[in-house]
Amino acid sequence: MRKILVGVKRVVDYNVRVRVKPDGSGVVTDGVKMSVNPFDEIALEEALRIKERGEAGEVIAVSVGPDDAQQQLRTALAMGADRAILVKTNEVLEPLAAARVLLAIVQKENPDLVIVGKQAIDDDAAQTAPMLAALWDRPQATFCSKIEIKGGSATVVREVDAGLETIEVDLPAVFSADLRLNEPRYVKLPDIMKAKKKPLDVLELAATGVSAAPGLKPVLTEPPKPRSKGIIVKDVAELVDALKKKGLV
Amino acid sequence: MSKILVIAEHDGQKLNQATARCVSCARQVPDAAITVAVLAADPAAVAAQAAQLAGVTEVVTVAAAHNAHALAAVLAPQVVKLAAGYTHVLAASTAFGKDLLPRVAALLGVPQISDAMAVVGAYTFKRPTYAGNAIVTLEAPADKVLVATVRSASFEAAPGGGSAPVRAVAIEASVPAHTRFVSVSAATSDRPDLASAAKVVSGGRALGSKENFELVFRLAEKMGAAVGASRAAVDAGYAPNELQVGQTGKIIAPELYLAFGISGAIQHLTGIKDAKTIVAVNKDAEAPIFEVADIGLVADLFQVIPELEKALAK
Ligand SMILES: Cc1cc2nc3c(=O)[nH]c(=O)nc-3n(C[C@H](O)[C@H](O)[C@H](O)COP(=O)(O)OP(=O)(O)OC[C@H]3O[C@@H](n4cnc5c(N)ncnc54)[C@H](O)[C@@H]3O)c2cc1C
Ligand SMILES: Nc1ncnc2c1ncn2[C@@H]1O[C@H](COP(=O)(O)O)[C@@H](O)[C@H]1O
């Protein structure tokens, strides 16, 4: 296989306690720590391992987002991606638009495999992989926990509700990485220095011909309903009493 | 009037309860006619179950050998054909629905609402983002088909008692050969299903080993409860992956959720926010799980579980 393309989305770091803006227009992102979507680190790690096994020639990290997403792409390059592409836009794209942009890059680069995250932890949409696969008219394997490349096809283990499902798909294909696919490597300081010299191409969203206009109108963003304050019991007997009172045991 | 197509999830014999919850969501759409579509090798048994769900107007079946296993790439072009004339296409936000519906939406050229948790109007739904920390109300255009996955935990299962007619349809859609089912390793157990159980006993990293996690299984069995686990417990191999509760595991809404040795990371809490009663047992009084617990007990789980077993045996 020649090339693997990996989606790298810049998102609010998973440790940040996200707050809703008082006017209901969205969440507070100013001054908030941003990171590579955790599932995308897993996607990238898998691509790097496939390459390190000698089964792929090149790993390309692609991000669709603001200029600052270059930071996340530099992280991807430091992890080991060979080059990176930023499709620049200040608009927040829906997954369908993100998939269309990725398709434009796919058509230019002709990768044998695209690996994205199972979901972005900001929109929690989990749509991009199947959407890209549909638009590209290629197989998809979502929620991968194991990937084996066998020449022109791949055997993939998927995390489904019942347990684990194994499917076989012809390449090229789109995979989405689940948590247990691998544990991403840590970036070492010399790699960060090396990453500065790796190519990072920036192009404008307009160059892909994809519209950023949202298909769904967000009318309100609100915090979840708070749960009512609970009680603290001092021992098991009190716990059982409390449960009995609620008719739960 | 809304014409809603609900894609049934099943294993060839049994309709998944998540579909009944999806039908409940559809019933909340004003003035809706609800069709359940069953794509299977032999849809008869599943179709009969779907026909009994209250509120279902019609069941359509697509019988084909290639529908023996739910492969999104195979099902999506058929669902697209079926969707003609409908205003909404819905499926449960399970691994099945999350795999299939975005592929359908992209083929239809429309966006998707993932994890719909409340119906505001025929084209307006609420959904959680940021691990449930921000709830967004989204308005979809009324001149396009609305594709959405439905968060099971937010809707009760539609009751039985219906008797909708079942109609077989033939679909001319070229299904790809590029995706092939190999096998599924379903952990067969007599325990209640985590996604729909009324009671769930859950364990975290604190259990410390696979052997110790047996404590959780045993208590669950005594209580007739399903078993859940935090990601840390699953990653450490104490519990199988399909038991993970949370943002990236299962989102559940049992009557009772008992958490033992789980700290309460936001990614875990998002999976249990809709539980009616949350009980937390944790050694650390400062653990964030106590912020959402209805009943908290600051104690060592290795003492509490055996005591609880004894107290419940009485
Ligand atoms: C992208 C992403 C997605 C994630 N998705 C999920 C998800 O879906 N589900 C999920 O659960 N997590 C998820 N996580 C992980 C999450 O952030 C936490 O790391 C995880 O939930 C911690 O599990 P835990 O509470 O079992 O372990 P810990 O956080 O280590 O907590 C263990 C707790 O046990 C207590 N304890 C220790 N000994 C005892 C004892 N003897 N008796 C009583 N209490 C004791 C401790 O006080 C502590 O509070 C995700 C993380 C990321 C980055
Ligand atoms: N703007 C983006 N830039 C790069 N990759 C993206 C973008 N949006 C989505 N993806 C990829 O698609 C995955 C799923 O995203 P989502 O469908 O939004 O949950 C992410 O984990 C990324 O790998």
Side-chain angles (χ1 to χ4, degrees):
Chain A
M1 150 157 60
R2 287 171 309 113
K3 274 186 208 176
I4 305 178
L5 213 76
V6 177
V8 172
K9 189 176 185 188
R10 172 184 166 91
V11 297
V12 172
D13 187 82
Y14 82 96
N15 279 313
V16 172
R17 220 168 239 255
V18 169
R19 280 181 304 117
V20 169
K21 286 185 192 159
D23 67 357
S25 67
V27 302
V28 178
T29 50
D30 285 349
V32 162
K33 185 180 176 207
M34 305 295 285
S35 298
V36 174
N37 183 41
F39 292 101
D40 299 356
E41 287 184 354
I42 299 171
L44 177 57
E45 175 67 36
E46 195 64 18
L48 296 173
R49 289 186 190 184
I50 293 170
K51 183 185 161 184
E52 284 158 5
R53 288 200 297 264
E55 293 166 357
E58 191 185 25
V59 174
I60 308 167
V62 183
S63 192
V64 187
D67 202 36
D68 285 341
Q70 289 198 35
Q71 294 160 11
Q72 281 65 42
L73 287 174
R74 287 290 167 204
T75 303
L77 292 168
M79 272 180 73
D82 297 290
R83 61 189 168 96
I85 302 170
L86 171 64
V87 180
K88 209 166 79 179
T89 173
N90 286 324
E91 306 291 329
V92 175
L93 295 195
E94 285 174 351
L96 180 59
R100 284 175 172 150
V101 174
L102 291 176
L103 178 71
I105 304 296
V106 159
Q107 281 164 346
K108 203 165 110 194
E109 297 284 349
N110 287 311
D112 307 278
L113 181 59
V114 178
I115 314 182
V116 299
K118 154 190 185 171
Q119 72 196 65
I121 61 161
D122 49 6
D123 62 24
D124 282 331
Q127 297 175 7
T128 305
M131 284 182 162
L132 173 60
L135 300 173
W136 192 14
D137 198 14
R138 293 306 307 168
Q140 70 189 47
T142 51
F143 323 137
C144 300
S145 66
K146 195 168 170 217
I147 296 172
E148 258 178 285
I149 309 290
K150 296 178 177 158
S153 66
T155 302
V156 182
V157 178
R158 306 178 54 231
E159 296 206 7
V160 295
D161 294 331
L164 298 169
E165 180 190 77
T166 306
I167 62 170
E168 197 180 78
V169 299
D170 293 338
L171 300 176
V174 181
F175 294 169
S176 82
D178 213 317
L179 282 175
R180 274 167 286 276
L181 181 57
N182 59 51
E183 216 169 298
R185 67 196 63 189
Y186 284 104
V187 173
K188 292 186 239 58
L189 198 60
D191 298 328
I192 296 173
M193 302 312 290
K194 259 192 272 170
K196 289 192 176 139
K197 296 199 195 80
K198 290 185 178 176
L200 193 168
D201 290 334
V202 180
L203 60 142
E204 298 291 331
L205 177 67
T208 64
V210 176
S211 158
L216 302 168
K217 197 169 112 199
V219 286
L220 177 71
T221 302
E222 57 194 328
K225 277 200 205 78
R227 291 185 69 95
S228 49
K229 187 106 188 73
I231 56 162
I232 293 285
V233 294
K234 70 170 197 312
D235 56 23
V236 170
E238 273 191 19
L239 171 59
V240 172
D241 277 349
L243 289 174
K244 281 201 174 130
K245 247 185 233 139
K246 286 178 176 256
L248 288 168
V249 291
Chain B
M1 187 180 135
S2 294
K3 285 193 71 190
I4 303 182
L5 184 68
V6 173
I7 312 302
E9 176 172 352
H10 60 84
D11 61 4
Q13 271 116 46
K14 245 184 122 246
L15 182 69
N16 193 305
Q17 213 221 27
T19 302
R21 291 169 182 263
C22 192
V23 165
S24 277
C25 172
R27 290 177 84 190
Q28 291 184 16
V29 173
D31 193 21
I34 303 169
T35 300
V36 177
V38 181
L39 296 91
D42 177 5
V46 175
Q49 293 158 49
Q52 284 171 15
L53 294 177
V56 172
T57 321
E58 186 190 25
V59 176
V60 296
T61 60
V62 183
H66 53 240
N67 289 340
H69 300 288
L71 295 168
V74 172
L75 296 179
Q78 302 177 68
V79 172
V80 166
K81 283 266 162 82
L82 277 176
Y86 288 92
T87 57
H88 298 61
V89 178
L90 306 182
S93 180
T94 51
F96 166 81
K98 285 189 209 164
D99 190 41
L100 173 62
L101 276 218
R103 189 158 183 126
V104 170
L107 292 176
L108 291 168
V110 297
Q112 172 182 295
I113 296 180
S114 292
D115 292 318
M117 58 183 280
V119 180
V120 181
Y123 290 90
T124 311
F125 289 76
K126 288 189 189 211
R127 68 169 300 257
T129 60
Y130 291 94
N133 286 306
I135 311 299
V136 184
T137 305
L138 288 170
E139 208 177 276
D143 60 347
K144 291 198 178 117
V145 49
L146 191 161
V147 176
T149 58
V150 174
R151 193 175 189 252
S152 299
S154 303
F155 300 90
E156 305 276 336
S163 57
V166 178
R167 180 167 59 95
V169 295
I171 290 186
E172 302 270 333
S174 65
V175 300
H178 58 44
T179 305
R180 299 168 291 275
F181 174 85
V182 178
S183 63
V184 67
S185 70
T188 44
S189 81
D190 314 329
R191 282 193 309 276
D193 174 40
L194 173 59
S196 55
K199 295 177 191 172
V200 175
V201 180
S202 205
R205 192 198 308 274
L207 269 298
S209 70
K210 198 170 184 239
E211 292 68 43
N212 289 346
F213 208 87
E214 283 300 320
L215 287 171
V216 174
F217 280 105
R218 233 174 47 207
L219 179 62
E221 197 179 297
K222 288 242 161 76
M223 297 181 64
V227 173
S230 72
R231 174 184 172 189
V234 172
D235 280 359
Y238 308 162
N241 69 286
E242 64 270 18
L243 300 189
Q244 182 176 316
V245 171
Q247 182 185 19
T248 49
K250 293 200 168 90
I251 313 268
I252 58 175
E255 294 294 320
L256 175 63
Y257 186 77
L258 279 160
F260 290 98
I262 294 179
S263 60
I266 42 176
Q267 294 86 7
H268 188 82
L269 299 186
T270 189
I272 59 170
K273 273 196 180 120
D274 291 328
K276 301 267 165 17
T277 299
I278 297 175
V279 175
V281 177
N282 196 305
K283 265 198 325 205
D284 175 8
E286 303 296 316
I289 186 104
F290 288 122
E291 286 165 33
V292 301
D294 300 281
I295 307 173
L297 174 55
V298 181
D300 188 331
L301 72 90
F302 292 106
Q303 276 161 14
V304 170
I305 294 184
E307 277 184 44
L308 197 54
E309 273 188 64
K310 253 190 240 142
L312 293 176
K314 273 188 238 153

